[in-house]
Amino acid sequence: MSRSIQRRTFLTGAAALAVAATAVGAPPATAAPRASAAATSTAVSAAASTAASTAVSTAFELPDDRAYPEGIAADPRTGDLYVGSYTTGAVYRATPGRRTAEVFLPAGADGRSTANGLKVDRAGRLWVTDSTSGVDVYDLRTRALLARFDVPGNAPRFVNDLAVTADGTVYLTDSVREVVYRVTPAQLAAARGGRATLTTAYDLSGVVAPHPSGAYTLNGIAAQDGYLLTVDMTAGALYRVDLATGDIRQVALSGGDLANGDGLELVGGRLWAALNGTNTITRWRLSANATAARLEKSVTDPALQIPTTLVRRNGRTLVVRSQFDKGGPMGPGTPETPFTVAWVHGI
């Protein structure tokens, strides 16, 4: 997801554009294409930038005019989508066929003041990160809080995004401490109904490139086939963590980089990334062992309104439009309301 407070360091201007509203379950197949803005980051090579083959339209609206959304998660069993508010901690649910999401967990639920990364696991549990403390786990059927995991100690932390592996283990990035935390199914079972401490699985502080004091590093994370991929949003680098050996290596990127990299979506041999400060979505082709990635396509459009996270549904890409630069954590101003989640076609 995104590093909201200090991501203003990387922010460029983004004019809000009006888009047509459509149902969550039925994105328009004939939406008029929208010309892309010129890429403003080295994360997008000129050769890869696209315009006429892509379009941005509204998938659904959020009910709160101060939502400033950040994370998004899909429930593969029902098709429901969950979106978190960075500024209030609320979580919204969008069901297929409806144009407006509903409040699933209210602002301030269980003492949470912010909701960053979201994921739904195969057991029907919703994981919601709170950048200031850790992660909350909810039963989607009852909305009950099942467990809470906290970052140990009092040192600065910024729990950011998370990924769920096939065996149910959850991995979470910390943008300040440059570590990846882990919650196993056994740890979740032991903590059920109470609180527990997050444990560090991997420390990337020794491999992340030098960066200015106060800058955030690890952000989006994705899991597949025995490895994790996580992005360093400041350096624009991608790292691969081998879950069997613990080996950490930088992925060789060609055609561009991942500066301003936020949410990641990994499907098969392709990786999608939201680049928040440049209003860009990129798609990468991974090598067979995910040690290299080639930029296949990119879309840069101010209508993305500072994209933070994304998911793939029905062959299209759903993107959270945070508007963090419009009176949110990245700058003054007035947001365009209602806040929305977009379909991005053609990538």
Side-chain angles (χ1 to χ4, degrees), residues 92-291:
Y92 313 103
R93 178 172 64 186
T95 56
R98 293 184 178 272
R99 288 175 49 176
T100 302
E102 63 180 354
V103 175
F104 182 75
L105 298 171
D110 302 300
R112 186 181 56 255
S113 61
T114 184
N116 302 19
L118 283 79
K119 281 292 184 296
V120 175
D121 65 22
R122 295 181 180 181
R125 294 178 294 242
L126 175 67
W127 297 69
V128 183
T129 64
D130 179 337
S131 62
T132 67
S133 59
V135 62
D136 296 335
V137 190
Y138 289 90
D139 184 313
L140 282 178
R141 184 179 60 83
T142 66
R143 308 190 193 197
L145 178 65
L146 300 176
R148 174 173 291 166
F149 292 85
D150 300 305
V151 177
N154 297 317
R157 80 287 306 273
F158 202 111
V159 184
N160 196 327
D161 202 0
L162 68 166
V164 185
T165 59
D167 68 355
T169 301
V170 174
Y171 293 89
L172 310 97
T173 55
D174 191 317
S175 300
V176 172
R177 298 189 176 190
E178 298 166 354
V179 301
V180 174
Y181 303 113
R182 176 172 54 209
V183 179
T184 66
Q187 288 173 321
L188 177 59
R192 200 172 183 89
R195 304 180 80 114
T197 300
L198 282 172
T199 57
T200 297
Y202 305 103
D203 187 341
L204 280 74
S205 60
V207 298
V208 168
H211 52 275
S213 176
Y216 290 149
T217 54
L218 302 184
N219 198 321
I221 187 170
Q224 185 171 277
D225 298 335
Y227 63 84
L228 304 172
L229 294 177
T230 184
V231 62
D232 175 355
M233 67 176 299
T234 298
L238 184 68
Y239 292 94
R240 180 189 188 277
V241 180
D242 190 301
L243 294 176
T245 66
D247 176 64
I248 301 170
R249 65 172 62 187
Q250 186 171 343
V251 177
L253 302 179
S254 59
D257 62 36
L258 287 165
N260 300 298
D262 205 322
L264 302 179
E265 177 80 341
L266 180 57
V267 181
R270 283 190 167 91
L271 178 72
W272 285 259
L275 312 184
N276 53 56
T278 55
N279 286 318
T280 298
I281 305 298
T282 56
R283 189 184 75 211
W284 302 77
R285 167 65 75 177
L286 299 174
S287 64
N289 57 4
T291 58

